[in-house]
Amino acid sequence: MWPWDIVANSKQLEGRTFNREVYSRAMGGNLVALLKSHVPAIEKMDGSLLKQETPKALALKKPALKEVDEHMVRVAGGSSPPFPFPTADAYYEWAGSHHKVPGIRIPFLAVNSIDDPIVAEIPYEACSQNPWVCLVTTEHGGHLGWFEGDLVGREGIPPHRWIKKPVLEWFAAVLDIVDEMGAGSGTDVGNPREVKDGFVVETGHPFVGYRVIQSGMEITAGTAKLLKGL
């Protein structure tokens, strides 16, 4: 799932009664709950905007997502610059990814569900004009859904998502193409890479990389907290 035009999608989310009362308030409540869990650490951050704005967010009653963003995230959601933003919409405009599509110059896969109640605006035209971008849409899947089998799950095991299979197949296909290009030219393809703290990263870009954990391994521990609010 890719959020794209956050301003437009926020209007879809907050402008429809069902979406606002069910999805938006659920995400807003999850953000406030996540904030509460970090209050002991935030209270030690003297002089920070986050400490200053946290009481305002915690005072909200059943807030919609945009209310939390307006009261706290736009102000203290990151480092300065670019934070703080004058409004939540200004923050959304900055954070939106739709205007970045023309500049993408690496293989890029985006998967969206047409029935996603939160991400309704999808930049089909911009994606179709960039050969580096592969945009996939599914008829069903909801918001980060794409479930199959038993939706309830068994013995605390979360329901299975089928989406990871085609995504991993796409990654494998891209790597095959890269390997073929490298074999044909006799050189390594892409920017220079190095291993740092167990991660393979591009030289000069140490904060973006990957690490192979174990072939076929699934990470489940801690995902409830990780995915809360999405």
Side-chain angles (χ1 to χ4, degrees), residues 35 50-60:
L35 179 66
L50 182 57
K51 182 177 180 179
Q52 176 183 322
E53 298 299 321
T54 292
K56 300 177 185 178
L58 295 180
L60 297 172

Side-chain angles (χ1 to χ4, degrees), residues 20 23 37 41 45 73 88 168:
R20 182 180 64 253
Y23 294 104
S37 70
M45 301 168 63
V73 179
L168 291 174

Side-chain angles (χ1 to χ4, degrees), residues 182-229:
S185 63
T187 61
D188 194 13
V189 175
N191 296 329
R193 296 180 293 273
E194 61 186 271
V195 177
K196 183 175 182 180
D197 298 328
F199 286 82
V200 178
V201 300
E202 286 189 3
T203 301
H205 299 84
F207 301 112
V208 180
Y210 68 90
R211 178 172 62 185
V212 178
I213 300 175
Q214 180 180 324
S215 178
M217 180 178 179
E218 292 187 15
I219 302 174
T220 57
T223 54
K225 290 184 178 179
L226 207 63
L227 298 177
K228 199 167 187 178

